[in-house]
Amino acid sequence: MGKGFASGSNGSSGLIRKILLSYLYVSIWIFLSFTVIIFNKYILDRKMYDWPYPVSLTMIHMGFCSTLAFLLVRVLKLVEPIGMSREMYLSSIVPIGALYSLSLWLSNSAYIYLSVSFIQMLKALMPVAVYSIGVLMKREGFKSDTMLNMVGISVGVAIAAYGEALFNAWGVILQLGAVAFEATRLVLIQILLTSKGITLNPITSLYYVAPCCFAFLSIPWIIVEYPTLQATSSFNFDFMVFGTNSACAFALNLAVFLLIGKTSALTMNVAGVVKDWLLIAFSWSVIKDRVTTINLVGYGLAFLGVCYYNHCKLQALKAKEAQKKSGEQDEEAGRLLDHVGERDEESHGGRKIDAQA
């Protein structure tokens, strides 16, 4: 009885430890994601740090991440690179890098024109974009109830946009473009990498993708931002601000790996919903962005749609796991029956020999 109590106690403490660690991973990811968003807003906003150069900021991030990833993979050899042929890099990594650079460029540009709170409301359209592009690329099956939910999320975001006090059409176009490019990138990762059995952790992902992003971003940078920066001779590069900002961006990539690796992608989606509400509250209370009642009603509707979508994903995942477990149990039962049958045959064979003797 003492042993049983001890094993039950150990099991209970192990479960509590696992739950506490999950909350810790979620908290770290929310904190870093929150920090990077507010930090980027601070740097780019004309009323704050006043450095409205989103391509340059994104290039600084990519340059920093590329350098650190190279050191970790090639110099310190803490992470093993995967075998990547030139053809594989050009056909898989380059398209993903191009989409990622466009997504980052447009999303950072939106911070110049829109409030943090409104951007989070527009980001609620991400499941809509991922599902729609998945259906178009035949990675997702069309389901009328899922599409109806997507329409509900879209209506909620439209209401939130209608109630936005400082609505800026160009900012909305930039953010919607960022959502579309990011959704396409997520679907392409499934098609070009996951389906081929290639898995990249954040370090190897940055090692391969970040230099590609840097190269793509250099094109709009030379055309759009370099001439303006050259003319602004008064600007002095602040290593403390941009170094800290880049370190936070790199740490966020590691936190994503930690969260998904130790919990699941679905946990990150749910944590993302919590983070969005925190950002809206921070934007309203600290940055003093105006959040209207119509904003909250619209986003509340979209929020319910996103929660329902995540719930459906969780149920589908549970059903898949149960089916897999059931299949494994049937296979194990089949092996046991085969083993019993073999033993019976051996037993009958032995009796026949005895009878003949």
Side-chain angles (χ1 to χ4, degrees):
M1 186 174 176
K3 286 181 181 177
F5 178 77
S7 64
S9 173
N10 289 336
S12 177
S13 62
L15 181 63
I16 291 168
R17 185 172 176 273
K18 191 176 179 181
I19 291 167
L20 288 174
L21 281 173
S22 295
Y23 277 114
L24 177 64
Y25 301 139
V26 167
S27 301
I28 290 169
W29 178 79
I30 288 176
F31 173 76
L32 287 169
S33 182
F34 187 98
T35 303
V36 169
I37 288 168
I38 297 299
F39 212 152
N40 287 353
K41 173 67 175 175
Y42 166 75
I43 290 171
L44 295 165
D45 198 299
R46 295 181 191 276
K47 297 173 188 174
M48 298 182 193
Y49 190 77
D50 191 22
W51 201 70
Y53 302 105
V55 183
S56 301
L57 182 64
T58 311
M59 283 183 74
I60 291 167
H61 289 171
M62 291 298 105
F64 184 89
C65 290
S66 298
T67 306
L68 267 187
F70 180 82
L71 287 171
L72 291 169
V73 174
R74 290 295 178 189
V75 180
L76 300 174
K77 299 187 184 298
L78 294 174
V79 181
E80 282 291 323
I82 63 167
M84 180 81 66
S85 66
R86 187 180 175 184
E87 290 75 23
M88 174 67 74
Y89 187 85
L90 291 172
S91 64
S92 300
I93 301 297
V94 170
I96 289 167
L99 290 166
Y100 194 37
S101 60
L102 286 166
S103 169
L104 291 171
W105 173 21
L106 296 184
S107 63
N108 280 335
S109 298
Y111 286 111
I112 301 170
Y113 305 97
L114 302 174
S115 66
V116 171
S117 56
F118 186 44
I119 285 173
Q120 302 318 303
M121 293 176 191
L122 291 174
K123 282 181 180 178
L125 286 169
M126 185 59 77
V128 180
V130 170
Y131 179 73
S132 302
I133 292 166
V135 170
L136 287 173
M137 292 188 173
K138 297 182 179 177
R139 296 296 299 177
E140 291 271 2
F142 179 84
K143 294 178 181 175
S144 54
D145 56 339
T146 305
M147 186 51 76
L148 190 64
N149 184 36
M150 297 300 146
V151 171
I153 294 171
S154 303
V155 169
V157 172
I159 292 168
Y162 176 76
E164 177 58 20
L166 300 171
F167 184 87
N168 183 292
W170 179 239
V172 171
I173 290 167
L174 288 169
Q175 185 55 48
L176 293 180
V179 168
F181 284 125
E182 179 62 10
T184 309
R185 183 183 77 91
L186 293 172
V187 175
L188 275 187
I189 286 172
Q190 292 290 322
I191 296 169
L192 299 177
L193 296 178
T194 310
S195 62
K196 295 175 183 175
I198 299 170
T199 53
L200 299 173
N201 64 45
I203 303 298
T204 52
S205 180
L206 289 172
Y207 175 73
Y208 291 111
V209 176
C212 182
C213 287
F214 188 90
F216 275 112
L217 288 165
S218 65
I219 299 166
W221 181 74
I222 290 167
I223 298 166
V224 179
E225 292 187 3
Y226 177 68
T228 313
L229 283 166
Q230 200 175 28
T232 314
S233 56
S234 60
F235 174 73
N236 292 315
F237 190 84
D238 192 330
F239 285 96
M240 180 58 74
V241 169
F242 292 103
T244 309
N245 181 244
S246 299
C248 288
F250 184 79
L252 177 60
N253 278 281
L254 297 183
V256 169
F257 172 64
L258 187 69
L259 183 62
I260 295 175
K262 300 295 182 182
T263 56
S264 68
L266 189 66
T267 302
M268 195 175 83
N269 287 343
V270 175
V273 172
V274 175
K275 179 207 70 180
D276 290 343
W277 277 111
L278 289 172
L279 278 165
I280 290 168
F282 183 88
S283 176
W284 170 73
S285 61
V286 179
I287 303 176
K288 302 300 179 186
D289 286 335
R290 192 176 167 192
V291 179
T292 66
T293 305
I294 298 174
N295 271 152
L296 293 175
V297 169
Y299 183 64
L301 180 61
F303 165 76
L304 291 174
V306 171
C307 288
Y308 179 70
Y309 175 75
N310 286 332
H311 171 73
C312 291
K313 282 280 185 186
L314 179 62
Q315 294 304 313
L317 196 65
K318 281 182 177 177
K320 192 176 178 181
E321 283 295 318
Q323 190 176 5
K324 185 181 174 183
K325 196 173 282 185
S326 175
E328 287 174 355
Q329 287 174 348
D330 290 344
E331 192 178 340
E332 185 64 30
R335 283 179 194 157
L336 284 169
L337 285 170
D338 289 341
H339 183 62
V340 170
E342 285 171 7
R343 288 185 65 182
D344 285 345
E345 284 177 13
E346 287 174 8
S347 175
H348 286 305
R351 285 174 189 169
K352 283 180 183 177
I353 291 165
D354 289 341
Q356 287 172 358

